[in-house]
Amino acid sequence: MIRIADLKLPLGREESLLKKRAAKQLHIPVEQITSWRIFKKSLDARKKDRIHYVCVVDVAVDNESKVLAGVKGDKNISKTPDLSYHFPEGKCQMEKRPVVVGFGPAGMFAALLLAQMGLKPIVLERGGDVDSRKEAVDKFWQTGQLDVDNNVQFGEGGAGTFSDGKLTTRIKDPRCRKVLEEFVAAGAPKEILYDSKPHIGTDLLRGVVKEIRQKIISLGGEVRFFSKVTDIFSENGMVTGVEINGKERLDASDVVLALGHSARDTFTMLYEKGFALEQKPFAMGVRIEHPQEMVNVSQYGEAADQLPAADYRLTYTTTKGRGVYTFCMCPGGYVVAAASEEGRLAVNGMSEHARDGQNANSALLVQVFPEDFGSEHPLAGMYFQRELEEKAFQAGGGNYTAPVQTVGSFLQDKENAFGQVRPTYAPKTVFADMKEIFPDFMTEAMAEALPAMGRRLKGFDRDDAVLTAVESRSSSPVRILRGEGGQSLSLTGLYPTGEGAGYAGGIVSAAVDGVVAAEHIFRRHVK
């Protein structure tokens, strides 16, 4: 096929005009194009009076070599590259089945690839399958009764299952295409293959992860829920197995450790056993909510009614050099209770595929560095997270009631009173002062950033925007050190992988890290 880049198409007519514009670019009749597909589609809204789509399109034509010769020198036209995934070559012989710890994106794709390679992995997930998990999460949101092993953080699909299902990533790894194609094969919308900001939505993602699980099982893999790894066994510097739920031993010479960023008890176990860990910078803050309609108008102007719910991404560097930024923006979404430990309150954002809720929400995060932790302990960042989560829990008065504050109250000490924006968090909220939860360096950074961000996105700092604390799980506060072949510096055959290991951020990058771990295991046993 032939790839045409930078194809500009007006709103509402992109499908009808695409083939004509492509033919014009190639200097051929429309009839010579036998088929076509969109490879990438993005919205250019920089000039609100001229909002349009920009596409990269692959077309099949008669006499391809002749057509390419006729447009030689056009930088926007090239032969379509081969982006298909190629499995490692060779014959792999393993005496013991590989074990994958954790069934979030990293563990899921490590297990899927191992299964597709014929290695029949065993997956150990501390939480439940997605159906029992949704039941436990719904109960928590309705009553405040938390299941510490089956919640927004733990269970089938990982933390991403209760999110926007956002698939954007900054990494350029060609394996990203493999990940997206597997999602589509499992029931995700086909648009994720070409949308510049793809997302699945929590409602559709639940079905997708179940389908991937069934595929792993159909290929000879095994998925065990409510199976928490409580110890790791080794001999002569090599992993020999894991302990499950404090009582069962499972022998293995290859273990993918895809913990996720919230497995704090497992991080503690690794530290106590002397694993090579180090502190890692991350970010913490609040969720901020606005009317979705306000965001749409601010981003799209008069074209807002013609377009899907708008998103945004804002960054700011304070006068003291600390970064503040929005993260995991959820158009038409909800702020959700995301705690995984008793007496500690954490929040996150979630959207369904339609993104049709009244509010937009995003994390508003402040960079946190190891020097802010107050200790050189490898887990000091984790302790810092816990401290703020405990303060948020106390500020809410217990039972996972979330502390909230309006931006007007936060910035100008105005009385806390809801306006147009009402918090979407459940089970309950209560007004509180964010300055009693966060250290000064964080509240000062947010207070400086909000007006600056309001100048870039009109209404971002409006008085009735709602802040909810505390957004503490944006990424892992610890890195499990690994070296050659992706293996732990502490044990041969142990593969720290994904967000929890400190090497990824987001669904796609974590999934790609899982794919790489599977490739390392295969190559290690090629004879």
Side-chain angles (χ1 to χ4, degrees):
M1 301 185 82
I2 297 174
R3 176 158 294 174
I4 307 171
D6 200 30
L7 205 60
K8 297 178 176 62
L9 299 165
L11 297 184
R13 300 180 62 199
E14 60 269 21
E15 293 292 331
S16 61
L17 285 178
L18 189 148
K19 194 174 180 181
K20 293 179 181 178
R21 294 278 176 92
K24 183 178 180 181
Q25 197 83 359
L26 294 173
H27 308 301
I28 60 174
V30 172
E31 295 76 20
Q32 197 171 334
I33 296 178
T34 57
S35 65
W36 59 270
R37 68 187 180 209
I38 299 174
F39 177 74
K40 186 69 69 178
K41 181 180 180 181
S42 58
L43 188 69
D44 187 338
R46 289 173 294 180
K47 296 181 179 179
K48 294 181 176 54
D49 59 338
R50 281 186 287 172
I51 295 177
H52 59 277
Y53 285 105
V54 180
C55 295
V56 178
V57 182
D58 293 327
V59 299
V61 300
D62 295 327
N63 301 316
E64 180 180 297
S65 58
K66 182 178 179 181
V67 172
L68 281 172
V71 292
K72 189 175 182 180
D74 189 328
K75 64 179 181 180
N76 289 323
I77 300 176
S78 62
K79 189 172 178 61
T80 300
D82 178 15
L83 296 180
S84 55
Y85 179 77
H86 299 283
F87 288 92
E89 296 181 354
K91 186 176 182 180
C92 181
Q93 297 179 350
M94 297 183 65
E95 295 180 4
K96 299 171 185 175
R97 296 168 69 181
V99 170
V100 177
V101 182
F103 203 49
M108 182 178 297
F109 274 84
L112 178 60
L113 268 290
L114 289 167
Q116 290 175 337
M117 294 170 183
L119 301 182
K120 301 179 180 180
I122 300 173
V123 178
L124 305 175
E125 167 56 52
R126 67 186 295 166
D129 64 276
V130 76
D131 291 325
S132 72
R133 187 180 180 199
K134 186 176 187 307
E135 184 178 338
V137 168
D138 285 344
K139 182 178 180 180
F140 175 46
W141 291 347
Q142 293 163 10
T143 68
Q145 296 180 44
L146 173 66
D147 184 331
V148 295
D149 281 321
N150 202 24
N151 48 56
V152 167
Q153 306 297 342
F154 303 138
E156 184 171 22
T161 300
F162 293 91
S163 71
D164 187 43
K166 208 180 284 25
L167 303 176
T168 50
T169 179
R170 295 181 186 179
I171 67 172
K172 303 298 183 183
D173 195 303
R175 298 176 183 86
C176 292
R177 185 74 179 181
K178 166 70 169 173
V179 171
L180 296 180
E181 288 175 347
E182 291 293 351
F183 277 134
V184 171
K190 291 182 180 179
E191 308 92 79
I192 69 171
L193 291 174
Y194 58 79
D195 277 347
S196 62
K197 298 178 180 179
H199 84 285
I200 298 178
T202 183
D203 50 339
L204 301 187
L205 193 55
R206 293 194 293 269
V208 170
V209 298
K210 285 167 64 174
E211 190 63 29
I212 293 176
R213 183 226 308 170
Q214 292 302 326
K215 187 170 185 178
I216 292 168
I217 293 171
S218 72
L219 293 169
E222 182 180 345
V223 182
R224 302 184 190 178
F225 295 110
F226 300 108
S227 299
K228 180 166 69 173
V229 168
T230 47
D231 203 353
I232 297 175
F233 304 116
S234 63
E235 289 181 13
N236 301 320
M238 301 182 69
V239 67
T240 57
V242 296
E243 179 186 77
I244 306 170
N245 295 332
K247 54 187 179 182
E248 178 188 353
R249 176 173 176 139
L250 180 63
D251 290 336
S253 59
D254 297 86
V255 176
V256 177
L257 205 58
L259 302 177
H261 53 44
S262 294
R264 293 168 172 172
D265 48 2
T266 311
F267 289 145
T268 301
M269 179 268 287
L270 294 174
Y271 169 74
E272 291 174 347
K273 291 184 72 69
F275 278 74
L277 311 175
E278 70 177 9
Q279 296 179 345
K280 176 181 157 294
F282 59 106
M284 295 178 68
V286 295
R287 278 272 152 183
I288 183 167
E289 293 190 83
H290 304 91
Q292 181 61 49
E293 184 180 8
M294 180 210 85
V295 178
N296 294 345
V297 172
S298 180
Q299 295 290 68
Y300 300 146
E302 294 181 1
D305 292 341
Q306 304 177 52
L307 293 164
D311 64 0
Y312 59 78
R313 183 174 180 272
L314 303 171
T315 61
Y316 178 75
T317 302
T318 69
T319 53
K320 294 183 179 179
R322 194 178 294 269
V324 184
Y325 60 95
T326 61
F327 175 78
C328 187
M329 192 271 162
C330 296
Y334 313 89
V335 176
V336 299
S340 60
E341 294 179 318
E342 295 284 358
R344 299 185 176 113
L345 191 150
V347 300
N348 199 0
M350 182 180 82
S351 295
E352 294 185 340
H353 180 69
R355 291 176 163 176
D356 55 0
Q358 288 191 340
N359 284 5
N361 77 79
S362 175
L364 178 65
L365 302 179
V366 178
Q367 287 182 322
V368 180
F369 301 104
E371 51 265 35
D372 299 315
F373 301 161
S375 167
E376 295 184 0
H377 193 288
L379 302 183
M382 185 182 84
Y383 301 146
F384 185 75
Q385 286 178 327
R386 279 177 164 170
E387 179 185 353
L388 296 197
E389 289 175 11
E390 288 168 6
K391 287 184 176 180
F393 184 82
Q394 293 161 4
N399 202 38
Y400 301 96
T401 296
V404 298
Q405 186 174 19
T406 63
V407 167
S409 171
F410 178 69
L411 291 180
Q412 303 172 46
D413 294 325
K414 293 182 179 179
E415 181 182 358
N416 257 321
F418 293 131
Q420 181 183 351
V421 186
R422 296 296 178 113
T424 54
Y425 176 95
K428 296 178 181 178
T429 63
V430 64
F431 284 124
D433 186 350
M434 295 298 160
K435 294 174 184 176
E436 295 181 0
I437 299 171
F438 296 100
D440 291 345
F441 78 85
M442 292 186 69
T443 54
E444 290 170 0
M446 285 189 282
E448 184 180 335
L450 275 163
M453 291 177 172
R455 290 190 288 273
R456 291 181 55 195
L457 182 73
K458 187 176 180 181
F460 189 81
D461 59 341
R462 57 189 280 167
D463 284 353
D464 67 343
V466 174
L467 309 175
T468 308
V470 57
E471 168 78 51
S472 53
R473 312 288 182 91
S474 63
S475 65
S476 179
V478 60
R479 180 172 285 116
I480 307 171
L481 298 180
R482 66 189 188 191
E484 185 178 353
Q487 297 177 77
S488 164
L489 292 183
S490 304
L491 277 185
T492 298
L494 185 72
Y495 299 82
T497 304
E499 284 203 47
Y503 293 97
I507 292 174
V508 172
S509 62
V512 166
D513 211 40
V515 172
V516 173
E519 293 170 353
H520 285 319
I521 290 173
F522 184 94
R523 292 191 178 103
R524 181 175 176 233
H525 294 277
V526 168
K527 302 299 182 182

